[in-house]
Amino acid sequence: MKKHLRTILLLSVVVATALTQHSCSGLFGIDITNQKDIDDNLRSKIEKFVGSDAKIIEISLGSAGTGDNFSKTVTSAQVYYFESGSNTVKCKYITLGSNSEGKERSTLGKYVDDDTDTPTVKPEDVLKLSEIDFSKIASNVNKAGKMVEESENEFSGIRTYDIIVNADPSKIIHSFTIESRQGSRTTAKSGGLGTEISYLKFNFTADAEGNVKEEK
């Protein structure tokens, strides 16, 4: 389970730590390691902006980690979907905090043939939001986190968690990335001092049954 080291530069360790500590579930988003938090919030917040009968193609959850900190709280969902009764692919960016908002996003290059402007998927090949099983998300993440820890690395946070939906359960894919903080050192850059943090990225997939494996 060896991965290439990556680094991020913190200009203020205090600010980064504060962001990590206060990007908690509820106010800012959903704790992806807590299934109750997911059950209580994820479907309802997405449904508010796309409807329970929307045919969902993909849900991409983004964490509170911003490149200068690590987090297990997901704060956004980018959803590709067909509205009920529609054959047009749409995309909505939804914030998952206490003040949820939904904004239209472009589908350019994603699930639409840019030359013909036609969908590359069909509504009958995916599921309604109300039919999608979210019950194994926390278990998937925690299993992967344990695998990372068993390799003597820290489970510091999650970067993304994507669900590729399919009407055939055997073709549903959960894909996500876990980050592991490795160490830090003080460095001089642009005339000032900063903290450079090194970390590893571990990529995982899981099927509809909750079988988790690392992608080498």
Side-chain angles (χ1 to χ4, degrees):
M1 193 182 274
K2 187 176 181 180
K3 299 293 175 182
H4 293 296
L5 276 173
R6 297 167 183 260
T7 59
I8 50 180
L9 179 66
L10 302 185
L11 298 180
S12 172
V13 176
V14 174
V15 172
T17 302
L19 284 172
T20 303
Q21 291 176 341
H22 293 289
S23 293
C24 54
S25 59
L27 182 61
F28 291 99
I30 300 169
D31 180 354
I32 202 165
T33 65
N34 183 325
Q35 190 59 47
K36 185 178 186 306
D37 203 10
I38 294 167
D39 292 341
D40 290 347
N41 294 285
L42 182 57
R43 193 186 311 274
S44 61
K45 289 183 183 296
I46 295 174
E47 182 180 309
K48 179 179 178 181
F49 298 100
V50 305
S52 62
D53 289 336
K55 290 291 194 79
I56 307 299
I57 304 167
E58 177 185 338
I59 297 173
S60 181
L61 304 175
S63 83
T66 58
D68 57 1
N69 66 91
F70 305 101
S71 177
K72 298 174 185 177
T73 298
V74 289
T75 57
S76 66
Q78 185 151 289
V79 184
Y80 292 88
Y81 66 103
F82 297 99
E83 286 182 323
S84 180
S86 169
N87 291 317
T88 301
V89 176
K90 304 191 75 174
C91 178
K92 192 153 288 184
Y93 179 85
I94 300 167
T95 55
L96 300 175
S98 57
N99 296 315
S100 295
E101 295 181 340
K103 297 180 180 179
E104 296 289 339
R105 287 283 175 91
S106 171
T107 59
L108 185 65
K110 190 86 170 180
Y111 301 114
V112 176
D113 187 311
D114 295 333
D115 293 328
T116 63
D117 200 31
T118 57
T120 57
V121 292
K122 299 177 181 179
E124 57 265 32
D125 292 334
V126 293
L127 296 173
K128 293 180 180 180
L129 176 61
S130 59
E131 298 172 327
I132 298 174
D133 181 9
F134 293 140
S135 68
K136 296 180 178 66
I137 293 177
S139 175
N140 291 342
V141 172
N142 289 323
K143 285 177 185 177
K146 185 176 180 180
M147 292 166 67
V148 169
E149 290 172 343
E150 287 175 346
S151 70
E152 299 184 350
N153 289 287
E154 177 183 287
F155 173 17
S156 306
I158 188 163
R159 180 58 54 181
T160 57
Y161 191 106
D162 301 333
I163 305 171
I164 311 299
V165 182
N166 197 290
D168 180 351
S170 68
K171 296 180 180 178
I172 294 174
I173 300 173
H174 294 240
S175 175
F176 54 102
T177 301
I178 283 179
E179 295 174 328
S180 175
R181 188 183 193 277
Q182 298 296 295
S184 63
R185 66 187 182 92
T186 301
T187 182
K189 193 165 185 177
S190 302
L193 292 177
T195 300
E196 189 174 81
I197 293 179
S198 59
Y199 67 101
L200 296 173
K201 292 177 68 174
F202 298 89
N203 298 318
F204 292 89
T205 58
D207 60 19
E209 299 300 317
N211 298 305
V212 177
K213 68 175 183 178
E214 187 191 2
E215 295 300 300
K216 302 297 184 180

